[in-house]
Tab-separated table of all heavy atoms in Angstrom:
chain	number	residue	atom	x	y	z
A	319	PHE	N	-6.123	-11.121	-3.688
A	319	PHE	CA	-7.515	-10.783	-3.359
A	319	PHE	C	-7.754	-10.883	-1.826
A	319	PHE	O	-7.550	-11.880	-1.218
A	319	PHE	CB	-8.436	-11.752	-4.100
A	319	PHE	CG	-9.907	-11.306	-3.924
A	319	PHE	CD1	-10.445	-10.240	-4.551
A	319	PHE	CD2	-10.764	-12.007	-3.030
A	319	PHE	CE1	-11.787	-9.846	-4.433
A	319	PHE	CE2	-12.060	-11.646	-2.834
A	319	PHE	CZ	-12.606	-10.590	-3.533
A	320	ALA	N	-8.170	-9.792	-1.235
A	320	ALA	CA	-8.635	-9.671	0.186
A	320	ALA	C	-7.509	-9.974	1.145
A	320	ALA	O	-7.636	-10.817	2.107
A	320	ALA	CB	-9.809	-10.606	0.431
A	321	PRO	N	-6.341	-9.369	0.973
A	321	PRO	CA	-5.297	-9.464	2.076
A	321	PRO	C	-5.778	-8.932	3.462
A	321	PRO	O	-5.156	-9.252	4.410
A	321	PRO	CB	-4.129	-8.601	1.565
A	321	PRO	CG	-4.313	-8.589	0.045
A	321	PRO	CD	-5.804	-8.564	-0.135
A	322	SER	N	-6.907	-8.219	3.472
A	322	SER	CA	-7.404	-7.756	4.685
A	322	SER	C	-8.054	-8.922	5.499
A	322	SER	O	-8.534	-8.697	6.631
A	322	SER	CB	-8.504	-6.738	4.470
A	322	SER	OG	-9.468	-7.173	3.589
A	323	TRP	N	-7.916	-10.132	4.997
A	323	TRP	CA	-8.349	-11.345	5.729
A	323	TRP	C	-7.707	-11.353	7.109
A	323	TRP	O	-8.400	-11.774	8.102
A	323	TRP	CB	-7.834	-12.592	4.985
A	323	TRP	CG	-7.892	-13.800	5.815
A	323	TRP	CD1	-8.940	-14.665	6.033
A	323	TRP	CD2	-6.761	-14.459	6.511
A	323	TRP	NE1	-8.528	-15.736	6.842
A	323	TRP	CE2	-7.274	-15.631	7.189
A	323	TRP	CE3	-5.405	-14.087	6.708
A	323	TRP	CZ2	-6.475	-16.416	7.949
A	323	TRP	CZ3	-4.630	-14.918	7.460
A	323	TRP	CH2	-5.116	-16.073	8.058
A	324	VAL	N	-6.496	-10.850	7.228
A	324	VAL	CA	-5.820	-10.851	8.556
A	324	VAL	C	-6.668	-10.134	9.604
A	324	VAL	O	-6.858	-10.589	10.695
A	324	VAL	CB	-4.410	-10.304	8.442
A	324	VAL	CG1	-3.760	-10.208	9.804
A	324	VAL	CG2	-3.577	-11.100	7.477
A	325	HIS	N	-7.168	-8.976	9.194
A	325	HIS	CA	-7.982	-8.143	10.105
A	325	HIS	C	-9.382	-8.682	10.218
A	325	HIS	O	-9.934	-8.791	11.340
A	325	HIS	CB	-8.030	-6.734	9.676
A	325	HIS	CG	-8.517	-5.760	10.668
A	325	HIS	ND1	-9.911	-5.577	10.836
A	325	HIS	CD2	-7.882	-4.865	11.424
A	325	HIS	CE1	-10.065	-4.663	11.799
A	325	HIS	NE2	-8.904	-4.171	12.133
A	326	GLU	N	-10.021	-9.160	9.125
A	326	GLU	CA	-11.332	-9.650	9.165
A	326	GLU	C	-11.487	-10.912	9.946
A	326	GLU	O	-12.427	-11.101	10.703
A	326	GLU	CB	-11.835	-9.917	7.735
A	326	GLU	CG	-13.291	-10.248	7.637
A	326	GLU	CD	-13.806	-10.271	6.201
A	326	GLU	OE1	-13.172	-9.722	5.320
A	326	GLU	OE2	-14.866	-10.870	6.027
A	327	TYR	N	-10.453	-11.767	9.899
A	327	TYR	CA	-10.506	-13.095	10.624
A	327	TYR	C	-10.128	-13.028	12.038
A	327	TYR	O	-10.740	-13.605	12.870
A	327	TYR	CB	-9.625	-14.061	9.853
A	327	TYR	CG	-9.749	-15.525	10.294
A	327	TYR	CD1	-10.928	-16.270	10.009
A	327	TYR	CD2	-8.730	-16.194	10.951
A	327	TYR	CE1	-11.115	-17.554	10.412
A	327	TYR	CE2	-8.917	-17.542	11.320
A	327	TYR	CZ	-10.056	-18.218	11.077
A	327	TYR	OH	-10.214	-19.513	11.476
A	328	PHE	N	-9.103	-12.272	12.416
A	328	PHE	CA	-8.524	-12.202	13.707
A	328	PHE	C	-8.992	-10.977	14.512
A	328	PHE	O	-8.845	-10.927	15.777
A	328	PHE	CB	-7.054	-12.315	13.696
A	328	PHE	CG	-6.449	-13.535	13.176
A	328	PHE	CD1	-5.998	-13.604	11.847
A	328	PHE	CD2	-6.431	-14.657	14.008
A	328	PHE	CE1	-5.493	-14.756	11.370
A	328	PHE	CE2	-5.951	-15.872	13.420
A	328	PHE	CZ	-5.428	-15.927	12.174
A	329	GLY	N	-9.563	-9.948	13.862
A	329	GLY	CA	-9.927	-8.778	14.595
A	329	GLY	C	-8.711	-7.884	14.792
A	329	GLY	O	-7.590	-8.103	14.206
A	330	GLY	N	-8.886	-6.788	15.476
A	330	GLY	CA	-7.895	-5.746	15.573
A	330	GLY	C	-6.924	-5.870	16.737
A	330	GLY	O	-5.896	-5.207	16.683
A	331	SER	N	-7.119	-6.698	17.646
A	331	SER	CA	-6.331	-6.766	18.896
A	331	SER	C	-4.805	-7.032	18.616
A	331	SER	O	-3.968	-6.452	19.189
A	331	SER	CB	-6.840	-7.820	19.831
A	331	SER	OG	-8.179	-7.537	20.246
A	332	TYR	N	-4.540	-8.004	17.694
A	332	TYR	CA	-3.151	-8.340	17.456
A	332	TYR	C	-2.859	-8.136	15.986
A	332	TYR	O	-1.967	-8.849	15.413
A	332	TYR	CB	-2.953	-9.797	17.906
A	332	TYR	CG	-3.403	-10.056	19.320
A	332	TYR	CD1	-4.628	-10.726	19.545
A	332	TYR	CD2	-2.706	-9.534	20.427
A	332	TYR	CE1	-5.078	-10.861	20.836
A	332	TYR	CE2	-3.195	-9.720	21.692
A	332	TYR	CZ	-4.370	-10.340	21.889
A	332	TYR	OH	-4.897	-10.452	23.213
A	333	PHE	N	-3.584	-7.226	15.404
A	333	PHE	CA	-3.594	-7.131	13.893
A	333	PHE	C	-2.131	-6.770	13.446
A	333	PHE	O	-1.602	-7.355	12.529
A	333	PHE	CB	-4.491	-6.114	13.432
A	333	PHE	CG	-4.308	-5.567	12.037
A	333	PHE	CD1	-4.456	-6.400	10.950
A	333	PHE	CD2	-3.900	-4.272	11.840
A	333	PHE	CE1	-4.246	-5.929	9.674
A	333	PHE	CE2	-3.667	-3.750	10.567
A	333	PHE	CZ	-3.811	-4.623	9.444
A	334	VAL	N	-1.502	-5.775	14.072
A	334	VAL	CA	-0.197	-5.313	13.579
A	334	VAL	C	0.793	-6.479	13.513
A	334	VAL	O	1.523	-6.660	12.507
A	334	VAL	CB	0.288	-4.128	14.415
A	334	VAL	CG1	1.785	-3.810	14.066
A	334	VAL	CG2	-0.569	-2.873	14.198
A	335	HIS	N	0.877	-7.228	14.599
A	335	HIS	CA	1.899	-8.341	14.672
A	335	HIS	C	1.514	-9.348	13.595
A	335	HIS	O	2.385	-9.914	12.922
A	335	HIS	CB	1.911	-8.955	16.009
A	335	HIS	CG	2.230	-7.935	17.094
A	335	HIS	ND1	1.255	-7.300	17.853
A	335	HIS	CD2	3.357	-7.499	17.590
A	335	HIS	CE1	1.851	-6.483	18.717
A	335	HIS	NE2	3.105	-6.579	18.644
A	336	LEU	N	0.293	-9.790	13.462
A	336	LEU	CA	-0.118	-10.759	12.523
A	336	LEU	C	0.110	-10.298	11.084
A	336	LEU	O	0.512	-10.999	10.124
A	336	LEU	CB	-1.550	-11.170	12.655
A	336	LEU	CG	-1.867	-11.874	13.992
A	336	LEU	CD1	-3.395	-11.981	14.240
A	336	LEU	CD2	-1.285	-13.331	14.013
A	337	GLU	N	-0.165	-8.940	10.882
A	337	GLU	CA	0.012	-8.429	9.495
A	337	GLU	C	1.470	-8.362	9.139
A	337	GLU	O	1.875	-8.666	7.976
A	337	GLU	CB	-0.553	-6.919	9.535
A	337	GLU	CG	-0.449	-6.211	8.203
A	337	GLU	CD	-1.544	-6.565	7.163
A	337	GLU	OE1	-2.224	-7.631	7.442
A	337	GLU	OE2	-1.778	-5.807	6.263
A	338	TYR	N	2.364	-8.039	10.080
A	338	TYR	CA	3.781	-8.085	9.778
A	338	TYR	C	4.213	-9.485	9.335
A	338	TYR	O	4.952	-9.656	8.376
A	338	TYR	CB	4.627	-7.671	11.025
A	338	TYR	CG	4.827	-6.207	11.189
A	338	TYR	CD1	4.462	-5.548	12.406
A	338	TYR	CD2	5.287	-5.446	10.193
A	338	TYR	CE1	4.709	-4.173	12.535
A	338	TYR	CE2	5.547	-4.066	10.279
A	338	TYR	CZ	5.228	-3.440	11.456
A	338	TYR	OH	5.379	-2.099	11.671
A	339	VAL	N	3.767	-10.513	10.014
A	339	VAL	CA	4.112	-11.919	9.651
A	339	VAL	C	3.565	-12.210	8.308
A	339	VAL	O	4.282	-12.791	7.464
A	339	VAL	CB	3.570	-12.842	10.748
A	339	VAL	CG1	3.753	-14.307	10.226
A	339	VAL	CG2	4.340	-12.639	12.060
A	340	PHE	N	2.299	-11.873	8.013
A	340	PHE	CA	1.731	-12.199	6.670
A	340	PHE	C	2.589	-11.594	5.582
A	340	PHE	O	2.927	-12.383	4.627
A	340	PHE	CB	0.284	-11.688	6.614
A	340	PHE	CG	-0.371	-11.914	5.332
A	340	PHE	CD1	-0.943	-13.077	5.041
A	340	PHE	CD2	-0.382	-10.895	4.359
A	340	PHE	CE1	-1.550	-13.352	3.842
A	340	PHE	CE2	-0.946	-11.139	3.158
A	340	PHE	CZ	-1.604	-12.330	2.833
A	341	TRP	N	3.008	-10.309	5.692
A	341	TRP	CA	3.716	-9.677	4.575
A	341	TRP	C	5.171	-10.048	4.522
A	341	TRP	O	5.783	-10.078	3.488
A	341	TRP	CB	3.458	-8.198	4.674
A	341	TRP	CG	2.152	-7.847	4.173
A	341	TRP	CD1	1.007	-7.594	4.958
A	341	TRP	CD2	1.655	-7.757	2.842
A	341	TRP	NE1	-0.073	-7.366	4.189
A	341	TRP	CE2	0.292	-7.458	2.866
A	341	TRP	CE3	2.286	-7.899	1.578
A	341	TRP	CZ2	-0.511	-7.348	1.695
A	341	TRP	CZ3	1.577	-7.786	0.449
A	341	TRP	CH2	0.175	-7.473	0.524
A	342	GLN	N	5.739	-10.423	5.719
A	342	GLN	CA	7.148	-10.778	5.606
A	342	GLN	C	7.277	-12.190	4.997
A	342	GLN	O	8.361	-12.524	4.434
A	342	GLN	CB	7.813	-10.752	6.971
A	342	GLN	CG	7.404	-11.794	8.007
A	342	GLN	CD	7.972	-11.546	9.389
A	342	GLN	OE1	8.151	-10.429	9.775
A	342	GLN	NE2	8.296	-12.675	10.128
A	343	LYS	N	6.220	-12.986	5.004
A	343	LYS	CA	6.260	-14.244	4.268
A	343	LYS	C	6.220	-13.941	2.694
A	343	LYS	O	6.795	-14.749	1.935
A	343	LYS	CB	5.106	-15.141	4.708
A	343	LYS	CG	5.231	-15.771	5.999
A	343	LYS	CD	3.997	-16.523	6.358
A	343	LYS	CE	4.189	-17.274	7.705
A	343	LYS	NZ	5.037	-18.479	7.603
A	344	LEU	N	5.434	-12.899	2.347
A	344	LEU	CA	5.394	-12.577	0.917
A	344	LEU	C	6.520	-11.747	0.342
A	344	LEU	O	6.751	-11.733	-0.862
A	344	LEU	CB	4.077	-11.801	0.672
A	344	LEU	CG	2.745	-12.415	0.972
A	344	LEU	CD1	1.604	-11.505	0.605
A	344	LEU	CD2	2.622	-13.746	0.109
A	345	TRP	N	7.244	-11.056	1.248
A	345	TRP	CA	8.201	-10.102	0.852
A	345	TRP	C	9.268	-10.567	-0.177
A	345	TRP	O	9.616	-9.869	-1.150
A	345	TRP	CB	8.969	-9.450	2.026
A	345	TRP	CG	9.359	-8.042	1.845
A	345	TRP	CD1	10.606	-7.592	1.644
A	345	TRP	CD2	8.494	-6.899	1.815
A	345	TRP	NE1	10.594	-6.229	1.534
A	345	TRP	CE2	9.282	-5.786	1.605
A	345	TRP	CE3	7.138	-6.731	1.970
A	345	TRP	CZ2	8.806	-4.532	1.500
A	345	TRP	CZ3	6.648	-5.465	1.846
A	345	TRP	CH2	7.432	-4.363	1.622
A	346	PRO	N	9.811	-11.880	-0.014
A	346	PRO	CA	10.826	-12.269	-1.037
A	346	PRO	C	10.324	-12.348	-2.466
A	346	PRO	O	11.070	-12.363	-3.393
A	346	PRO	CB	11.170	-13.636	-0.511
A	346	PRO	CG	10.790	-13.648	0.906
A	346	PRO	CD	9.544	-12.781	1.039
A	347	TYR	N	8.938	-12.295	-2.639
A	347	TYR	CA	8.402	-12.433	-3.984
A	347	TYR	C	7.906	-11.093	-4.557
A	347	TYR	O	7.338	-11.030	-5.616
A	347	TYR	CB	7.212	-13.454	-3.957
A	347	TYR	CG	7.594	-14.795	-3.312
A	347	TYR	CD1	7.154	-14.998	-1.979
A	347	TYR	CD2	8.403	-15.663	-3.961
A	347	TYR	CE1	7.519	-16.202	-1.354
A	347	TYR	CE2	8.829	-16.869	-3.328
A	347	TYR	CZ	8.382	-17.080	-2.030
A	347	TYR	OH	8.743	-18.304	-1.391
A	348	LEU	N	8.114	-10.054	-3.762
A	348	LEU	CA	7.618	-8.687	-4.208
A	348	LEU	C	8.819	-7.883	-4.738
A	348	LEU	O	9.982	-8.289	-4.536
A	348	LEU	CB	7.006	-7.896	-3.046
A	348	LEU	CG	5.826	-8.620	-2.325
A	348	LEU	CD1	5.291	-7.751	-1.266
A	348	LEU	CD2	4.682	-9.070	-3.315
A	349	TYR	N	8.496	-6.850	-5.541
A	349	TYR	CA	9.548	-5.995	-6.075
A	349	TYR	C	9.292	-4.615	-5.365
A	349	TYR	O	8.224	-4.001	-5.496
A	349	TYR	CB	9.460	-5.941	-7.547
A	349	TYR	CG	9.933	-7.242	-8.106
A	349	TYR	CD1	8.977	-8.249	-8.442
A	349	TYR	CD2	11.250	-7.552	-8.358
A	349	TYR	CE1	9.421	-9.533	-8.869
A	349	TYR	CE2	11.647	-8.767	-8.828
A	349	TYR	CZ	10.703	-9.770	-9.107
A	349	TYR	OH	11.120	-11.005	-9.563
A	350	ILE	N	10.324	-4.110	-4.731
A	350	ILE	CA	10.232	-3.012	-3.788
A	350	ILE	C	10.749	-1.694	-4.389
A	350	ILE	O	11.853	-1.750	-4.961
A	350	ILE	CB	10.974	-3.292	-2.493
A	350	ILE	CG1	10.636	-4.677	-2.030
A	350	ILE	CG2	10.615	-2.232	-1.472
A	350	ILE	CD1	9.192	-5.012	-1.855
A	351	ARG	N	9.954	-0.699	-4.363
A	351	ARG	CA	10.435	0.615	-4.784
A	351	ARG	C	10.161	1.637	-3.725
A	351	ARG	O	9.392	1.424	-2.803
A	351	ARG	CB	9.785	1.041	-6.130
A	351	ARG	CG	8.344	1.482	-6.078
A	351	ARG	CD	7.375	0.381	-5.869
A	351	ARG	NE	5.934	0.743	-5.986
A	351	ARG	CZ	5.225	1.409	-5.122
A	351	ARG	NH1	5.778	1.915	-4.040
A	351	ARG	NH2	3.946	1.660	-5.327
A	352	GLY	N	10.911	2.771	-3.746
A	352	GLY	CA	10.802	3.777	-2.777
A	352	GLY	C	10.585	5.130	-3.310
A	352	GLY	O	10.426	5.435	-4.434
A	353	PRO	N	10.571	6.110	-2.343
A	353	PRO	CA	10.271	7.495	-2.698
A	353	PRO	C	11.361	8.187	-3.450
A	353	PRO	O	12.553	7.779	-3.341
A	353	PRO	CB	10.052	8.228	-1.277
A	353	PRO	CG	10.877	7.354	-0.383
A	353	PRO	CD	10.837	6.016	-0.863
A	354	THR	N	11.061	9.215	-4.196
A	354	THR	CA	12.055	9.951	-4.986
A	354	THR	C	11.876	11.486	-4.787
A	354	THR	O	12.831	12.203	-5.184
A	354	THR	CB	11.884	9.664	-6.479
A	354	THR	OG1	10.578	10.127	-6.911
A	354	THR	CG2	12.012	8.190	-6.776
A	355	GLN	N	10.750	11.934	-4.302
A	355	GLN	CA	10.507	13.351	-4.291
A	355	GLN	C	11.023	14.064	-3.031
A	355	GLN	O	10.773	13.679	-1.885
A	355	GLN	CB	9.005	13.625	-4.444
A	355	GLN	CG	8.417	13.126	-5.791
A	355	GLN	CD	6.906	13.298	-5.822
A	355	GLN	OE1	6.236	12.546	-6.516
A	355	GLN	NE2	6.357	14.259	-5.158
A	356	LEU	N	11.721	15.164	-3.258
A	356	LEU	CA	12.131	16.078	-2.184
A	356	LEU	C	11.358	17.345	-2.292
A	356	LEU	O	11.035	17.785	-3.396
A	356	LEU	CB	13.651	16.329	-2.252
A	356	LEU	CG	14.618	15.191	-1.950
A	356	LEU	CD1	16.048	15.614	-2.162
A	356	LEU	CD2	14.390	14.639	-0.605
A	357	PRO	N	11.007	18.022	-1.174
A	357	PRO	CA	11.271	17.587	0.219
A	357	PRO	C	10.522	16.326	0.596
A	357	PRO	O	9.524	16.057	0.073
A	357	PRO	CB	10.869	18.819	1.049
A	357	PRO	CG	9.863	19.500	0.213
A	357	PRO	CD	10.271	19.339	-1.213
Side-chain angles (χ1 to χ4, degrees):
F319 185 76
S322 53
W323 166 82
V324 177
H325 193 281
E326 185 169 346
Y327 190 67
F328 294 102
S331 298
Y332 312 101
F333 164 68
V334 169
H335 302 91
L336 293 166
E337 182 82 342
Y338 274 128
V339 170
F340 178 82
W341 285 97
Q342 70 189 33
K343 286 175 177 286
L344 295 182
W345 211 252
Y347 309 104
L348 305 183
Y349 291 91
I350 313 305
R351 74 284 189 287
T354 63
Q355 294 177 211
L356 291 177

